[in-house]
Amino acid sequence: MSVTQSEEKVIVIDFGGQYNQLVARRVRECNVYCEIYSYKTPIDQIRAMGAKGIILTGGPNSCYEEGAPTASKELFELGIPVLGLCYGAQLMQHVLGGRVERASAREYGKTEVIVDTSSPLFTGVKDLRGEDATGGVTTVCWMSHFDYISKMAPGFEAVAYTDNCPVAAAQDKSRGLYAIQFHPEVLHTVYGRQMLHNFVRGVCGCAGTWRMDSFVESSVKEIKQRVGDGKVLLALSGGVDSSVLAALLARAIGPQLTCVFVDHGLMRKNEGDEVEAVFGKGGAFDINFIRVNAADRFYIKLAGVDEPERKRKIIGEEFIRVFEEEAKKIGAVDFLAQGTIYPDVVESGLGGESAVIKSHHNVGGLPDYVDFKEIIEPLRDLFKDEVRKVGIQLGIPDYLVNRQPFPGPGLGIRIVGDVTAEKIRMVQDADAIYREEIAAAAGDTNPPWMPDQYFAALTNMRSVGVMGDERTYDYAIALRAVKTIDFMTAESADIPWEVLQKVMSRIINEVRGVNRVFYDLTSKPPGTIEME
Ligand code: XMP
């Protein structure tokens, strides 16, 4: 199942940079559908896609080095507009006869850039302090490069520069080729969205018809057609993706859907009951709902295991076993539905070039013994914020649609080291307090410090403390809170000190076995959001 073939699209060719998914999301924000492909994708395949524009991403290499990711000259001769960003810009110049060299100093961070607003890329860009004498305007962009374009390829003209970078952007309008050394996809580039909009809607001439309501409509139609009167089975976790998927399937095929909810005992406090209240009997959806309480099985399998990837594997595999057993009771079904979304596809190395940093267990792990004919993944092409929009379109309650992301392996990866029922209790209780206090402090407002994801984790550290007159030797809780746009990069959130202190004091007083609370300041990279 995929987005309607007739949808106009722009493709992103991935050279392994960290902002690649962000580029695709920004394009979709222009109401233009966008997909990511590896730079290794054969040129004939690219030609056959009928894209209206191509964007080459950044990447960690030097394009003039032996073995560096490259592009063929033909890519620039398809008659389709191409925009190169950072590495992509350098590569375009390199392949077409320009020169790229190592700069004397790395240019990194927010940088003032002078852009020529007569270029179609820079239409609408406003000056920081009024137009300068040469007709260019000064704005702020995000730079991150070691190499620079020292000579443009024949036919190109420079349309932006900085103090250290003579070619911050170049164009050959007649061939529809554009190169930008900085990163318009990053919010620090003040007019970045405008620049991408200019390329996608202006240069490529996309009409901008990609909308979530049209997605729901076409998706429901497609599901109905494909499923007919068949039976569909879904492993419902209660997270945003599988919940939205359940609602989408409920809209399309109603009681032909059976949802199996495996409660692995690694969920947030009371969450199992909340999921049951929404999707179970008497809830908002006319579907078959089965809850399996399997906590003990998971705890036994996890006993004594402290290596993070092994924990993930065990949880993923056990999940599948429990699910299989339940599916066997149901008997043959026609379809197995999966809540795979686009970042899962890309991060699993199936889409672009991103390295597999952690194994996400909802992709790649399929039950062996479930009797089904086909898989359906109706959300496979969507980013998270798009999935939420679909959820809202489908009338799912706001608190569910806007739930924080929660990893498939659950609290299993928020407990550093081995997992026990006792530790799960500690982290659940601490986390509930943390969420309660943040919600109370934020009220109905959305304060600037409001984290995009926050949770309590249990460190594997025990230390000495004193409670009343007693010496204690207990665990330390780590509070994590991050601001992030895409969960690929993140900063720790600036939660007011008094809120943190209240959380600390409640945790110490109310959670047995905890005598210390830390606040995790690490950004991503180098840290990850979860502890494991
Ligand atoms: P990290 O820890 O990789 O997390 O910085 C990025 C985002 O992904 C979530 N996460 C997972 N989600 N299965 C999931 O479904 C997983 O194994 C998993 N690991 C991390 C994490 O909560 C954060 O939002």
Side-chain angles (χ1 to χ4, degrees), residues 429-480:
D429 287 350
D431 185 68
I433 291 171
Y434 191 23
R435 282 188 288 135
E436 227 173 271
E437 290 303 330
I438 294 274
D444 288 334
T445 63
N446 187 18
W449 52 262
M450 191 65 190
D452 297 298
Q453 189 176 8
Y454 61 99
F455 54 84
L458 191 72
T459 70
N460 204 16
M461 188 198 94
R462 294 174 80 189
S463 65
V464 173
V466 55
M467 283 270 239
D469 291 332
E470 300 256 322
R471 176 186 180 278
T472 56
Y473 186 61
D474 281 336
Y475 282 99
I477 282 281
L479 300 177
R480 185 79 167 127

Side-chain angles (χ1 to χ4, degrees), residues 1-12:
M1 189 136 340
S2 70
V3 165
T4 323
Q5 289 304 311
S6 62
E7 195 77 54
E8 61 183 9
K9 74 175 162 205
V10 162
I11 60 169
V12 167

Side-chain angles (χ1 to χ4, degrees), residues 158-462:
V159 285
Y161 63 92
T162 72
D163 283 348
N164 297 313
C165 184
V167 185
Q171 66 182 22
D172 179 344
K173 273 204 282 195
S174 63
R175 287 189 285 170
L177 303 179
Y178 297 84
I180 299 182
Q181 178 58 71
F182 52 88
H183 289 276
E185 69 276 24
V186 173
L187 287 181
H188 301 304
T189 299
V190 178
Y191 279 91
R193 285 181 178 192
Q194 174 79 41
M195 294 169 192
L196 288 171
H197 192 274
N198 287 342
F199 177 71
V200 169
R201 302 286 291 272
V203 173
C204 303
C206 291
T209 49
W210 167 249
R211 296 265 184 321
M212 281 306 117
D213 47 355
S214 52
F215 174 86
V216 170
E217 218 174 277
S218 64
S219 206
V220 163
K221 215 158 103 194
E222 248 184 280
I223 294 167
K224 272 190 176 149
Q225 255 173 18
R226 180 143 175 232
V227 171
D229 56 4
K231 281 209 258 175
V232 181
L233 179 63
L234 166 68
L236 176 68
S237 71
V240 179
D241 305 339
S242 65
S243 300
V244 171
L245 180 53
L248 185 63
L249 289 167
R251 162 83 65 101
I253 53 158
Q256 286 163 254
L257 170 69
T258 300
C259 291
V260 173
F261 167 49
V262 176
D263 185 345
H264 52 23
L266 300 164
M267 270 181 292
R268 289 167 283 210
K269 195 171 180 176
N270 301 331
E271 200 169 33
D273 296 341
E274 285 167 19
V275 173
E276 187 167 353
V278 175
F279 290 101
K281 263 207 166 53
F285 301 96
D286 183 18
I287 53 174
N288 305 301
F289 174 85
I290 299 166
R291 175 176 179 174
V292 192
N293 293 313
D296 291 344
R297 280 181 66 159
F298 282 82
Y299 298 171
I300 290 168
K301 281 265 149 83
L302 286 169
V305 181
D306 55 11
E307 206 276 308
E309 281 298 297
R310 249 190 73 62
K311 282 161 65 176
R312 270 168 199 277
K313 276 234 150 56
I314 289 173
I315 298 166
E317 278 170 17
E318 194 59 14
F319 180 89
I320 287 171
R321 296 290 92 82
V322 176
F323 181 66
E324 278 174 355
E325 286 170 25
E326 217 45 49
K328 260 191 202 147
K329 293 183 200 159
I330 297 166
V333 293
D334 302 281
F335 298 90
L336 181 70
Q338 294 229 310
T340 316
I341 68 168
Y342 201 47
D344 302 330
V345 175
V346 177
E347 280 174 37
S348 297
L350 304 173
E353 274 304 302
S354 320
V356 183
I357 297 167
K358 289 177 180 178
S359 50
H360 283 228
H361 90 252
N362 44 343
V363 181
L366 269 186
D368 302 330
Y369 304 108
V370 173
D371 196 357
F372 68 95
K373 290 188 205 121
E374 289 175 52
I375 288 177
I376 46 173
E377 298 177 304
L379 306 179
R380 195 184 164 86
D381 296 320
L382 302 188
F383 284 109
K384 195 80 172 191
D385 52 338
E386 295 173 321
V387 173
R388 291 189 210 276
K389 282 186 193 148
V390 169
I392 287 163
Q393 289 277 330
L394 290 167
I396 300 186
D398 195 60
Y399 75 88
L400 226 173
V401 172
N402 288 315
R403 215 175 222 172
Q404 293 190 51
F406 189 64
L411 301 180
I413 58 167
R414 290 184 182 171
I415 293 171
V416 177
D418 70 324
V419 175
T420 64
E422 185 61 4
K423 288 183 184 173
I424 289 165
R425 180 204 41 90
M426 285 184 224
V427 80
Q428 275 180 339
D429 287 350
D431 185 68
I433 291 171
Y434 191 23
R435 282 188 288 135
E436 227 173 271
E437 290 303 330
I438 294 274
D444 288 334
T445 63
N446 187 18
W449 52 262
M450 191 65 190
D452 297 298
Q453 189 176 8
Y454 61 99
F455 54 84
L458 191 72
T459 70
N460 204 16
M461 188 198 94
R462 294 174 80 189

